[in-house]
Amino acid sequence: MQLSRFPAIEECIEAFRRLPGVGPKSAQRIVFHLLGKDPEAAGKIAASCEALHEKVGLCGTCSMLVEGEAGGSDCSVCGARDPGVICVVEEPADVFAVERAGGVKGRYHVLMGVISPLDGVEPEDLTVAKLIERVKAGDVKEVILALNPNMAGEGTSLYLAQVLKPLGVRVTQLAHGLPMGSHLEYADEMTLTRSLEGRREM
Amino acid sequence: MQLSRFPAIEECIEAFRRLPGVGPKSAQRIVFHLLGKDPEAAGKIAASCEALHEKVGLCGTCSMLVEGEAGGSDCSVCGARDPGVICVVEEPADVFAVERAGGVKGRYHVLMGVISPLDGVEPEDLTVAKLIERVKAGDVKEVILALNPNMAGEGTSLYLAQVLKPLGVRVTQLAHGLPMGSHLEYADEMTLTRSLEGRREM
C-alpha cells in the first residue's frame, strides 16, 4: 500500500508542495492533518483560497491590492495621500511592511517584480511605464526607491533613477547599513562597506 | 493601510496559519505568493482540499484511509493479506511509513490516536474496541504494537498488551534503541538504556 494508490491525497500533497517554504515532508504532514485532526480546516482553506482571487484586485494606478472595491479603481492610498511623493516597492507585501514601519507621507507604486534579464524579466514586464506616466503627469516631487537590497533590486533602482531623473523629479533610495540591534562583529562586508559609505554627521 | 482592511486576505492567512508547521509569517508569505507569483496554485489548493474529504474515507475494519472505494468497505490490505498478524499504529500516515520500510506480513489497525487522560482521550475515543473484536473473531496470532516511542505511546502499548494478552494472542512491540547511522556519543540516556535492555545475542 503506497501513496500512489491515493490520487486525491497525492494531488493535495502536490498542491501544498508548490507553496513557498513547504517541502514534500511538510506537505504530507499538512494533508494528513487535514484528513485527521482538523477536518474543518480543509473546507476553510478551500473556501478562502477560492475567495482570494474573486475579492482581491489591483489598484489601477499603483498596482497595490484592493479589496471590496470595483476592479481597476484607485486604492484608498492613491485617492487620499500626498501625490508629491511616490514610494516604489517590488511586491504588494512590501507596502504592508513600509506601512507597519509608519508608512510614507505619500503614495505607493508596486513594480510587480524587478528587472532580471537572466529570468527574462524586462522593464516591459513590470509597471515601469505606469510609473513614468505618473511622474510625467506632474505633481510628483520625489520618488523613493524601496526595492530589496540585492543584485536585482540594486540594478532595477539604477535603471529607474536613470529613467526618472531626466523628468525633473528627485529620486532617493532607502539607506543601506547595519540593521538595528545587530552586532558590527557579525555584519557582512557588503553591509559594513555600505554603512561606512553612508555615514552621517552627528 | 493595514492588513485588517483586507478581510479576504486575512481569512486566507488565518486558514493557513492553523496548519502544522506554518506560523503567521509563513502563512502570510504563502497567501502573497498565491496572490502574486502563482495565481493558479490557489485554485489547485481549493479544488484538492475540497476533493480530499469527498474521495477519501476510512476502512470499516482497520480505519486506514480508503479512496475510490465505497465508504466503510474494507481496504485493499484487509481484503488481501495474512489475517494472522495485525500491526497497530497511531495514525494513517504511520501505515505508509511502515509500508515504505517493507511493510508487515499481515494487516494493520489504526488507533486514531493514543490514550492521553490529560487531553481527555480515553480508550473509548480510539478504535480499541474494534481491535479487540478483530482479535476475538479468531485467526489472529500476533499483534505488533508500532506506536510512537514516547510517554503516551508507551502507556497505550502497556494498556493494549494488558487487554489483548488474556485473549490468547501474542503481543509484541517494535524494538527501541539506537537509530541506524546515529552516534552513540550523542544518544539520549533513555534511548541508550533501552538499547542496553534490548541487547541481542550475536
Side-chain angles (χ1 to χ4, degrees), chain A residues 1 7-8 18 38 67 99, chain B residues 1 7-8 18 38 53 67 99:
Chain A
M1 181 154 40
R18 284 179 60 183
D38 198 354
E67 191 174 314
E99 288 285 306
Chain B
M1 181 154 41
R18 285 178 59 182
D38 198 354
H53 285 279
E67 191 175 316
E99 288 284 308

Side-chain angles (χ1 to χ4, degrees), chain A residues 1-3 5-9 11-12 15-16 18-22 25-26 28-53 55-56 64-67 69 75-77 81 91-93 95-96 99-100 108, chain B residues 1-3 5-9 11-12 15-16 18-22 25-26 28-53 55-56 64-67 69 75-77 81 91-93 95-96 99-100 108:
Chain A
M1 181 154 40
Q2 284 160 331
L3 259 181
R5 296 190 53 174
F6 296 80
I9 295 179
E11 203 165 298
C12 200
F16 277 102
R18 284 179 60 183
L19 299 177
V22 180
K25 286 255 174 185
S26 357
Q28 201 169 313
R29 191 172 155 219
I30 286 172
V31 173
F32 282 121
H33 173 88
L34 293 177
L35 278 166
K37 286 181 191 124
D38 198 354
E40 269 173 49
K44 279 198 180 148
I45 285 196
S48 64
C49 279
E50 231 161 57
L52 208 56
H53 285 279
K55 292 190 184 160
V56 182
M64 178 53 186
L65 304 169
V66 282
E67 191 174 314
E69 300 163 57
C75 69
S76 57
V77 170
R81 295 204 203 154
E91 310 282 349
V95 173
F96 291 115
E99 288 285 306
R100 275 199 300 275
Y108 290 96
Chain B
M1 181 154 41
Q2 283 160 333
L3 259 181
R5 296 190 53 173
F6 294 82
I9 296 179
E11 204 165 296
C12 202
F16 278 102
R18 285 178 59 182
L19 300 177
V22 180
K25 284 256 175 183
S26 357
Q28 201 170 313
R29 192 172 154 218
I30 287 172
V31 173
F32 282 122
H33 173 88
L34 293 177
L35 277 167
K37 286 180 193 126
D38 198 354
E40 268 174 49
K44 278 196 181 152
I45 285 196
S48 65
C49 279
E50 231 161 55
L52 208 56
H53 285 279
K55 293 191 183 161
V56 182
M64 178 54 187
L65 303 169
V66 283
E67 191 175 316
E69 299 162 57
C75 70
S76 57
V77 170
R81 296 204 202 153
E91 309 282 350
V95 173
F96 292 115
E99 288 284 308
R100 275 199 300 274
Y108 290 95

